[in-house]
Amino acid sequence: MLKIIKKTGDDKFANVYVARTKANKYIEFVESIQPPLKREEKWVLIISTLFGCPVGCLMCDAGGSFQGKLSKEEMLAQIDHMVSARFPNKNIPCAKFKIQFARMGEPAFNMAVLDVLNELPDQYKCPGLLPSLSTIAPVGCESFFDRLLEIKNKLYVGGKFQMQFSLHTTDQQLRDKIIPIKKWNFEQIANYGKKFYSSGDRKITLNFALAQNSPVHPNELKKYFDPKIFIIKITPVNPTNSSKKNNIKSYFTTGAPEEDTGKLVRQLHNAEYEVLVSVGELEENKIGSNCGQYLQKIV
């Protein structure tokens, strides 16, 4: 199903796998841990859902070379390759086994993602299974999101699913520039979130890969997003080829994210939002485990 043509990384942080499919197309996928947590505490797999991506977000290297959708079998093969290498009996003793549909490709463009979500609980023995879907919420994918809600309610209630919307800024014109396709507006995302969230679920994440001069105004968020349903996640803009080409500089500039984000976090807390500041290991930038980054180097 997949032929691994390159593996790079460090077991202490992350490994990137580049594979070729039978159709002679290329994908990459990632496994990572988050020190000081051990793998048995949290193991994260990040898989591709598309061959490239048609969106072309300004900071993401996965865009610009879209060649179609992965099949259910090709997505499961990515997971199975990483699982088999460490837990060949498919019994995964991880307190949190997170599978992110967030490597290469907007997952809402591929209905087969839903088939994978349907089958995951039967594929592996792991009470810590936590699927995570990150989306920009493209217009025209409403049937995907309707069925996703059904699957979550059937298989992943009680905090066993993580839903994330990538916003990046509250400036609507700038958001359209960063994510250059038609997508749900804040009101549409908020309305879906209200349907998606049930008591006991994880809060829905609003992700901001925060760049300089990309405002995030708590009062604007508060117009749409209920803090009882939504959580704010702030991450750096990774040093990808695309972010460099488009001169998008990360808000994290001093090496001390607590100082860089302190004022914004306080403002968000004052607006009653729970805030997660998520900064990965610098070693991961050297490894190339940022979105779409490594594949460009060898293909």
Side-chain angles (χ1 to χ4, degrees), residues 155-207:
L155 298 175
Y156 300 108
V157 296
K160 295 182 179 180
F161 193 90
Q162 185 176 69
M163 185 69 187
Q164 175 173 295
F165 291 96
S166 295
L167 304 186
H168 304 318
T169 180
T170 53
D171 182 315
Q172 299 289 356
Q173 288 186 329
L174 183 57
R175 178 174 174 244
D176 287 340
K177 181 178 179 181
I178 294 172
I179 309 172
I181 66 165
K182 291 183 178 180
K183 54 202 164 294
W184 287 357
N185 59 32
F186 286 177
E187 183 176 10
Q188 290 170 303
I189 293 172
N191 288 340
Y192 180 78
K194 292 173 185 175
K195 292 190 297 181
F196 194 88
Y197 178 83
S198 297
S199 178
D201 284 349
R202 292 173 179 269
K203 287 185 179 181
I204 297 167
T205 301
L206 302 177
N207 181 57

Side-chain angles (χ1 to χ4, degrees), residues 245-262:
K245 175 184 176 182
N246 293 305
N247 197 31
I248 298 178
K249 298 179 180 179
S250 179
Y251 186 78
F252 297 86
T253 57
T254 68
E258 294 84 2
E259 296 177 10
D260 285 350
T261 61

Side-chain angles (χ1 to χ4, degrees), residues 12-54:
K12 296 178 182 177
F13 303 103
N15 288 301
V16 181
Y17 301 86
V18 177
R20 185 172 61 238
T21 69
K22 289 183 178 180
N24 206 34
K25 295 179 181 179
Y26 294 89
I27 57 170
E28 67 178 63
F29 47 96
V30 176
E31 62 164 337
S32 69
I33 59 175
Q34 297 179 358
L37 297 179
K38 298 179 180 179
R39 182 169 284 102
E40 289 72 20
E41 295 174 278
K42 184 178 181 181
W43 188 33
V44 181
L45 308 186
I46 311 172
I47 71 167
S48 292
T49 60
L50 304 177
F51 296 104
C53 185

